[in-house]
Amino acid sequence: MNDVLSAKMVSQGLLPSGSLLDSLIHVSKEVDSMEKLPFVHTRNVSSMIRRVKLLSSLFEEMQEAGTPLPPSSILCLTELFSVIRRVKVLIQDCKDGSSLWSLIQLEFISNQFYVLVKEMGRALEILPLSLLNVTSDIREQVELLHKQAKRAELLIDPRELQRREQVKQAMTNNSLHNKKNKGFIDFAKVEEILSSIGLRTPSDYDGEISKLEAEAQNQAGTGGLIIVSNINNLVSLVSYSKSMIFRDGGSGRNEEDCKPLSSFLYSKVHDSSSSSQSMTPNVPDEFRCPISLDLMRDPVIVSSGHTYDRTSIAQWINSGHHTCPKSGQRLIHTALIPNYALKSLVQQWCYDNNVPVNEPTTEGNNNKKKNSKEEAIDQISANKAAADAVKMTAEFLVGKLATGSADIQRQAAYELRLLAKTGMVNRSVIAEVGAIPFLVTLLGSQDSRIQEHAVTTLFNLSIFDNNKILIMAAGAVDSIVEVLESGKTMEARENAAASIYSLSMVDELKVQIGGRARAIPALVGLLKEGTSIGKKDAASALFNLAVYNPNKVSIVKAGAVPVLVELLMDDKAGITDDALAVLALLLGCSEGLQEIRNSRALVPLLIDLMRFGSVKGKENSITLLLGLCKEEGEVVARRLLANPRSIPSLQSLAADGSLRARRKADALLRLLNRCCSQPHHSL
């Protein structure tokens, strides 16, 4: 009986392939062998590994006994396999992801560990220990583990809470630095905090920045604008901290290689002069004004993009000059834009070296000169000046896109990508100066970086709703689909999918994009081949397109259903909810229903997801099961009734699920009840 039941459950996809005990031992060993623990959530991770290690001893002893498993143990062991597998994924995510972001999400991730501990306790509750051929020591340890799991409470390390608050304070100070020039960051304290979460060398900082940028990309376009803003604030904090903490030793990077064409936002002037008139000792060259060679206490940017001290450049302009002292370029306006980024660096340097922030470095009458010239020079308000400067910068960069060499086009496209990344005003201005047609042309570039920057800039621009129509009017869709199909880098393909996702938020654009014969097959192709981020972008775009009924048939014909079902079984992909949402929409057309009905592995997966999925995942799982039961009737109903986990899961959701889940669970239970009450029902 045991062998028959086990074989049946394996065939339905409820058990891992191969021997159940072998699979349990293997996944337990994988968790136990995780060497380097993450720097955040250490207590939760180590506690979970200890629990899994104890269970591993149980599984090994059961295997060594060589006796058949009691039928009543199959369900418990299957649930334990599911829990341990998710434990492995969660710990791996903590190790591979951003430590700072894990710290910010302290409660959320700690709650995930707590939920897994509780599920482990519920599984052990139905384990028939008395029927297992194990030693008394193992039995006592498992019973103790069960009791501990039942009593377990949410574990949040107070030290990590304190670190998180310190990081938030540093983020606030960093934001004030960049926006209002208020407050200082205690870099000794910041270095201590970052060191405690594993950031100790310049390469550690670079790696953390890359992980944060990847997380921001993952969150972009999903409606979490506040989340993306917080992540970008963390990137800014880590970058700024790295520049200050390692400014003496350096990281070996050539800063000049990264210097933008236009130094508008974060200009640092490099002067080759070897002498200085400043009384302040050891002033870094990048902090000296190119005119006076003194410390720039109030750095401003002129229209050429170069930075000077306000007093010096004001005196230069008032003496009748209309050119940039450093480049000789004619100044198209005389507005002086504060360089907040450089000013915050100068203030921090003054603070670290006990140099008065407001003390002039030249003769005392400089203050009088400054006060007498400021009103004459600042001809427009700060806000309008900033907007005009953005427009000027965008025009300058678009000109480089149109006439520059490949190297210049690559740099210009990259800077437009950064400029379009934040702020609706920036996105509007970039479109107004005519950037979109040039970016569409660059999608066909043979240079992989130019293509990648162009498609990413278009994605960033498309976040502003007015630009969606402009991008479509420029004939961008066919070029974006070309990049999606055969882009020169995977990042370019993924951002092409993100662009289609963003554009398809507009109803009439769903029709236009779905009408392109290659668009939907290209998205399904990325769904198969992309990274986790790419698959998520592709699934999100397919969901938007599937809202328009005629597109559903095209998605089914492109072979999306088998790929989506396969992704439900792929823990690493991490797009279970997205795949379920698309399948639930495809159920609305006859072709989609037939394809979903043909998937024999789907029903057992949906039963598992009703128990272990997210709120949305549970809702969509019930939607799919209810739709299949209504259309296919008794066949699917019998498969549900034959599964020992389906009815308890439905009853649990009917009692405690979301409003939508409760409604659909009630409907499905009534349908199954009618099936059971039919006279010819054989179960």
Side-chain angles (χ1 to χ4, degrees):
M1 176 64 185
N2 173 42
D3 294 338
V4 173
L5 179 60
S6 181
K8 179 179 178 182
M9 296 179 77
V10 170
S11 69
Q12 291 179 337
L14 298 179
L15 300 186
S17 57
S19 165
L20 175 55
L21 284 175
D22 285 342
S23 299
L24 281 164
I25 292 171
H26 177 70
V27 73
S28 300
K29 291 295 184 185
E30 285 183 327
V31 174
D32 185 26
S33 63
M34 287 184 171
E35 295 178 351
K36 188 177 175 184
L37 294 182
F39 289 95
V40 186
H41 303 288
T42 308
R43 290 180 61 186
N44 274 314
V45 171
S46 59
S47 177
M48 189 62 81
I49 290 177
R50 178 182 57 79
R51 291 184 175 97
V52 172
K53 187 174 183 180
L54 193 151
L55 289 174
S56 179
S57 301
L58 169 67
F59 303 145
E60 288 176 348
E61 192 157 309
M62 290 170 64
Q63 187 181 55
E64 289 171 2
T67 56
L69 294 177
S72 54
S73 69
I74 297 292
L75 180 58
C76 168
L77 295 176
T78 306
E79 291 188 6
L80 285 174
F81 177 81
S82 175
V83 171
I84 296 172
R85 186 170 55 178
R86 285 184 292 141
V87 165
K88 173 191 165 187
V89 172
L90 181 56
I91 295 176
Q92 197 64 50
D93 287 346
C94 290
K95 290 180 62 178
D96 297 342
S98 160
S99 296
L100 273 174
W101 188 238
S102 291
L103 195 62
I104 296 297
Q105 289 191 303
L106 194 58
E107 288 90 350
F108 175 74
I109 296 176
S110 296
N111 188 63
Q112 288 182 290
F113 280 104
Y114 172 72
V115 169
L116 288 172
V117 171
K118 287 301 183 183
E119 289 184 8
M120 185 181 291
R122 285 194 290 270
L124 290 174
E125 195 165 347
I126 58 173
L127 180 66
L129 271 174
S130 59
L131 301 179
L132 300 179
N133 188 12
V134 295
T135 63
S136 58
D137 287 344
I138 292 292
R139 184 176 290 109
E140 288 174 2
Q141 289 178 356
V142 173
E143 288 172 346
L144 179 60
L145 176 60
H146 175 220
K147 291 177 182 177
Q148 290 174 342
K150 286 180 67 177
R151 294 196 306 266
E153 296 180 352
L154 181 64
L155 174 60
I156 300 178
D157 192 331
R159 292 170 300 178
E160 292 181 347
L161 269 176
Q162 183 181 6
R163 283 186 205 133
R164 198 262 301 276
E165 293 309 311
Q166 291 169 338
V167 168
K168 285 184 175 180
Q169 184 60 49
M171 289 169 65
T172 302
N173 290 342
N174 184 54
S175 181
L176 289 172
H177 259 17
N178 292 335
K179 294 179 181 178
K180 301 180 180 178
N181 296 321
K182 295 180 180 179
F184 288 103
I185 301 175
D186 184 352
F187 281 102
K189 189 65 177 176
V190 171
E191 182 178 11
E192 179 185 340
I193 298 167
L194 297 182
S195 177
S196 71
I197 60 171
L199 307 186
R200 292 161 187 165
T201 66
S203 61
D204 291 336
Y205 281 69
D206 290 336
E208 181 68 13
I209 292 170
S210 298
K211 291 174 183 178
L212 286 168
E213 289 175 341
E215 184 63 36
Q217 182 75 16
N218 190 34
Q219 298 284 350
T222 61
L225 296 179
I226 295 176
I227 293 177
V228 173
S229 174
N230 288 337
I231 296 174
N232 287 334
N233 198 347
L234 285 172
V235 172
S236 172
L237 173 63
V238 177
S239 301
Y240 184 21
S241 301
K242 178 192 170 190
S243 68
M244 297 305 294
I245 293 170
F246 299 103
R247 65 186 184 278
D248 296 326
S251 62
R253 291 184 60 190
N254 185 353
E255 295 295 336
E256 194 64 31
D257 292 341
C258 303
K259 186 177 179 181
L261 291 170
S262 141
S263 333
F264 158 60
L265 288 177
Y266 298 97
S267 172
K268 289 186 179 180
V269 178
H270 293 268
D271 190 83
S272 58
S273 300
S274 59
S275 62
S276 172
Q277 303 300 318
S278 173
M279 297 295 292
T280 305
N282 302 320
V283 177
D285 287 345
E286 58 266 30
F287 294 166
R288 296 180 185 275
C289 174
I291 296 175
S292 67
L293 300 181
D294 290 330
L295 180 67
M296 289 187 286
R297 299 177 184 274
D298 189 8
V300 292
I301 306 170
V302 297
S303 64
S304 65
H306 291 290
T307 298
Y308 301 92
D309 185 75
R310 183 186 292 274
T311 302
S312 299
I313 192 63
Q315 186 176 1
W316 168 269
I317 292 174
N318 274 292
S319 64
H321 295 92
H322 301 289
T323 57
C324 170
K326 192 169 184 181
S327 67
Q329 181 181 345
R330 184 172 183 79
L331 300 176
I332 61 176
H333 63 72
T334 55
L336 303 181
I337 314 301
N339 190 334
Y340 290 127
L342 181 56
K343 187 172 183 178
S344 67
L345 291 172
V346 171
Q347 288 179 334
Q348 188 64 47
W349 180 86
C350 291
Y351 178 78
D352 292 342
N353 291 276
N354 296 318
V355 175
V357 175
N358 296 317
E359 180 183 332
T361 56
T362 56
E363 297 299 322
N365 60 0
N366 275 355
N367 279 336
K368 294 180 181 179
K369 292 180 181 179
K370 174 180 175 181
N371 293 333
S372 63
K373 305 302 180 184
E374 278 188 11
E375 289 187 9
I377 298 303
D378 291 335
Q379 298 176 353
I380 52 179
S381 68
N383 288 341
K384 189 174 185 302
D388 286 347
V390 171
K391 184 175 182 180
M392 180 189 66
T393 304
E395 288 174 341
F396 170 75
L397 294 173
V398 170
K400 296 301 180 182
L401 287 184
T403 61
S405 64
D407 288 341
I408 291 176
Q409 285 181 328
R410 185 186 311 113
Q411 187 68 31
Y414 175 69
E415 289 201 43
L416 280 172
R417 171 181 178 172
L418 295 181
L419 198 59
K421 191 173 182 179
T422 55
M424 292 300 180
V425 173
N426 289 2
R427 293 168 186 138
S428 174
V429 168
I430 292 170
E432 286 175 8
V433 300
I436 289 174
F438 293 106
L439 291 168
V440 172
T441 301
L442 291 180
L443 292 177
S445 172
Q446 296 304 306
D447 186 297
S448 62
R449 304 304 293 176
I450 291 177
Q451 182 187 73
E452 182 182 307
H453 295 329
V455 73
T456 308
T457 305
L458 285 171
F459 165 58
N460 289 337
L461 292 176
S462 71
I463 296 172
F464 183 50
D465 285 344
N466 291 353
N467 288 345
K468 289 178 169 65
I469 305 300
L470 297 176
I471 291 171
M472 294 295 291
V477 172
D478 290 330
S479 298
I480 291 173
V481 171
E482 183 73 31
V483 176
L484 177 61
E485 279 184 318
S486 54
K488 299 187 180 300
T489 66
M490 183 56 71
E491 185 175 350
R493 294 181 63 191
E494 291 170 352
N495 288 334
S499 300
I500 291 178
Y501 162 72
S502 179
L503 294 171
S504 61
M505 289 181 178
V506 179
D507 287 342
E508 55 264 34
L509 300 188
K510 291 180 174 67
V511 181
Q512 295 182 40
I513 296 171
R516 301 302 205 279
R518 295 157 55 202
I520 289 174
L523 287 170
V524 175
L526 185 63
L527 205 59
K528 297 176 185 176
E529 304 164 4
T531 64
S532 296
I533 295 172
K535 289 176 179 178
K536 186 176 183 65
D537 288 334
S540 300
L542 287 172
F543 177 85
N544 275 357
L545 294 174
V547 171
Y548 178 59
N549 282 327
N551 287 340
K552 294 176 182 175
V553 178
S554 301
I555 294 172
V556 174
K557 289 182 177 179
V561 171
V563 180
L564 291 167
V565 173
E566 186 177 342
L567 287 172
L568 294 180
M569 298 182 282
D570 186 354
D571 291 332
K572 292 183 179 178
I575 63 164
T576 301
D577 288 354
D578 304 271
L580 282 171
V582 178
L583 286 170
L585 281 178
L586 296 181
L587 198 64
C589 70
S590 58
E591 293 84 354
L593 173 63
Q594 184 59 44
E595 278 290 321
I596 293 171
R597 182 188 298 164
N598 291 339
S599 176
R600 300 293 298 173
L602 183 59
V603 171
L605 281 171
L606 295 177
I607 294 171
D608 275 350
L609 289 168
M610 279 198 303
R611 306 173 65 221
F612 303 123
S614 66
V615 173
K616 284 291 182 186
K618 291 174 181 177
E619 291 175 355
N620 285 321
S621 297
I622 303 175
T623 299
L624 283 162
L625 288 171
L626 185 58
L628 287 171
C629 283
K630 285 181 177 178
E631 297 295 335
E632 202 173 353
E634 192 173 336
V635 177
V636 175
R638 285 173 178 270
R639 294 178 66 191
L640 281 172
L641 290 168
N643 191 304
R645 293 188 279 184
S646 58
I647 302 302
S649 299
L650 286 170
Q651 290 171 334
S652 175
L653 286 173
D656 303 319
S658 65
L659 180 61
R660 183 167 176 248
R662 291 201 303 270
R663 189 172 65 249
K664 291 186 177 293
D666 283 337
L668 187 51
L669 284 169
R670 287 196 301 272
L671 192 150
L672 294 176
N673 189 45
R674 286 198 301 271
C675 182
C676 286
S677 64
Q678 292 174 2
H680 62 277
H681 194 277
S682 60
L683 291 178

